[in-house]
Amino acid sequence: PRRKTSQDRAFPMWKETRDAIQEYLDERPEPSNAKNRELVFLSRRGNCLAKNACIQLSRLFRNLLDSLGNDYPERTGFYNLRHTFITIGRETGMDACVKHISGHKASSVQDGYTGFMKAEKLVEVCTHVRHWLFETDGSPRKKRPSMI
């Protein structure tokens, strides 16, 4: 579940994402205890990431952007990925699916009746975002999208 809202999330992952996570798991630190074995991301010492993990991730993401030598705005951080996904995903008109993927709580009575999300609809939202982000051959767009 999403820590902030305790909402369960289900979402399809692109093959590149699954491969990158597997590569990380192959090299990640050994969990410091049995409870941490169920976590994906751990600190260097094998512990649960602290509450300030978002700050740490944003710093690492900012360093990555700086190393790429691109002209990203100074305040661009890891959170921008989430914001961009939600913004572009909403173009599909499937706001309930976007909320489900992003872990947002229902904001209206109607949202509360949404219930089960069909996997095909979740895939449709993710595919739309992927097409916005990548060329048809799977390579990153030559021109950086303005949302990130």
Side-chain angles (χ1 to χ4, degrees):
R2 183 175 180 211
R3 179 182 287 186
K4 184 175 172 182
T5 61
S6 298
Q7 293 294 111
D8 285 335
R9 289 191 261 190
F11 52 90
M13 279 198 264
W14 299 330
K15 182 185 181 316
E16 296 88 350
T17 306
R18 288 190 309 272
D19 291 349
I21 289 173
Q22 186 57 58
E23 186 176 319
Y24 165 78
L25 289 174
D26 292 344
E27 299 175 10
R28 88 172 179 175
E30 198 59 37
S32 62
N33 59 49
K35 185 178 177 184
N36 290 345
R37 290 188 195 287
E38 65 187 46
L39 301 174
V40 175
F41 299 106
L42 299 173
S43 71
R44 286 183 222 162
R45 295 187 176 132
N47 296 314
C48 175
L49 290 174
K51 285 185 178 181
N52 64 354
C54 291
I55 294 169
Q56 294 169 351
L57 283 173
S58 283
R59 283 188 190 140
L60 291 170
F61 186 71
R62 182 74 237 172
N63 291 343
L64 173 65
L65 291 178
D66 289 344
S67 74
L68 295 173
N70 290 314
D71 60 344
Y72 293 96
E74 188 175 318
R75 295 185 59 88
T76 301
F78 187 73
Y79 188 79
N80 292 89
L81 297 175
R82 176 183 170 78
H83 177 85
T84 300
F85 179 88
I86 292 169
T87 301
I88 302 307
R90 289 188 68 198
E91 291 177 357
T92 63
M94 293 186 272
D95 289 6
C97 289
V98 174
K99 285 179 183 179
H100 184 78
I101 291 168
S102 61
H104 284 160
K105 286 186 175 182
S107 58
S108 72
V109 174
Q110 290 174 328
D111 287 347
Y113 288 105
T114 303
F116 179 75
M117 293 286 161
K118 290 186 176 180
E120 306 87 58
K121 296 298 181 186
L122 300 176
V123 169
E124 192 174 330
V125 170
C126 291
T127 300
H128 175 78
V129 173
R130 183 182 179 84
H131 287 170
W132 176 84
L133 190 57
F134 294 102
E135 300 287 350
T136 55
D137 67 357
S139 64
R141 289 203 181 276
K142 305 293 184 258
K143 185 173 189 247
R144 174 175 54 86
S146 60
M147 289 296 301
I148 295 179

